[in-house]
């Protein structure tokens, strides 16, 4: 969206002007030898409507326009990103993601299956895992929910 602040939140949310406009979910299957057999990408985009529920951590936001225009824009953007990945590898995609992520050094909480971890956002590693500087030292997180620091 032109003229609007677009941010990404690890691992799978897209925020526009502070509201969640899209979410991405990847499911994969790993075969023998650790080789990824397939990846299914689910992408939800609020086009004409944005949910607003009390339990939502971020307000919903809507892209506006038509579903057809949103799909066309999404498909073009995905094709460009795939071409970039094929040409330059994950490092270029990672750099673009970091440019739209929350600021490095921001204090965050991460909800894991077994509790909450507090620290400072330190970026992404070469595989896309969240890097967090905690009181106990650096931590690499591959699954969880990044939260803003609770007051």
């Amino acid at each position: 969206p032109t003229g609007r602040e677009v941010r990404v939140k690890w691992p799978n949310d897209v925020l526009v002007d502070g509201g969640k406009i899209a979410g991405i979910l990847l499911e994969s299957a790993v075969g023998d030898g650790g080789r990824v057999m397939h990846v299914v990408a689910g992408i939800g985009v609020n086009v004409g409507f944005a949910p607003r529920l009390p339990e939502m951590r971020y307000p919903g936001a809507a892209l506006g326009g038509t579903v057809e225009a949103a799909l066309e824009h999404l498909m073009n953007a995905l094709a460009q990103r795939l071409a970039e990945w094929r040409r330059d590898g994950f490092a270029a995609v990672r750099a673009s993601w970091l440019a739209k992520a929350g600021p490095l050094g921001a204090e965050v909480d991460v909800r894991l299956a077994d509790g909450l971890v507090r620290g400072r956002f330190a970026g992404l590693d070469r595989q896309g895992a969240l890097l967090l500087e905690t009181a106990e030292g650096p931590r690499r997180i591959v699954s969880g929910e990044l939260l803003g620091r609770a007051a």
Side-chain angles (χ1 to χ4, degrees):
T2 306
R4 298 170 78 184
E5 181 189 34
V6 177
R7 308 294 292 170
V8 292
K9 185 178 84 60
W10 183 91
N12 59 353
D13 291 337
V14 179
L15 308 175
V16 173
D17 296 334
K20 182 175 174 178
I21 200 164
I24 302 163
L25 179 64
L26 301 176
E27 295 286 338
S28 63
V30 179
D32 295 336
R35 184 168 187 259
V36 175
M37 302 304 293
H38 68 267
V39 175
V40 177
I43 303 170
V45 180
N46 299 334
V47 177
F49 170 78
R52 298 191 190 278
L53 304 170
E55 65 271 14
M56 291 175 65
R57 191 156 188 73
Y58 297 93
L63 184 61
T66 67
V67 171
E68 292 81 6
L71 284 172
E72 185 174 333
H73 183 75
L74 176 62
M75 296 311 297
N76 288 335
L78 286 172
Q80 289 174 9
R81 188 64 70 197
L82 180 59
E84 178 184 43
W85 185 311
R86 287 179 172 156
R87 183 184 63 244
D88 302 324
F90 180 66
V93 174
R94 178 181 170 270
S96 295
W97 190 94
L98 284 169
K100 293 288 184 185
L104 292 176
E107 293 185 357
V108 297
D109 295 332
V110 180
R111 182 179 301 130
L112 305 176
D114 61 349
L116 201 64
V117 176
R118 304 190 102 182
R120 293 185 182 276
F121 174 56
L124 295 181
D125 72 6
R126 293 179 183 192
Q127 288 77 42
L130 176 71
L131 300 175
L132 195 65
E133 291 294 333
T134 71
E136 295 79 32
R139 184 151 179 191
R140 180 180 185 268
I141 300 173
V142 297
S143 178
E145 180 184 6
L146 180 68
L147 310 169
R149 178 60 54 90

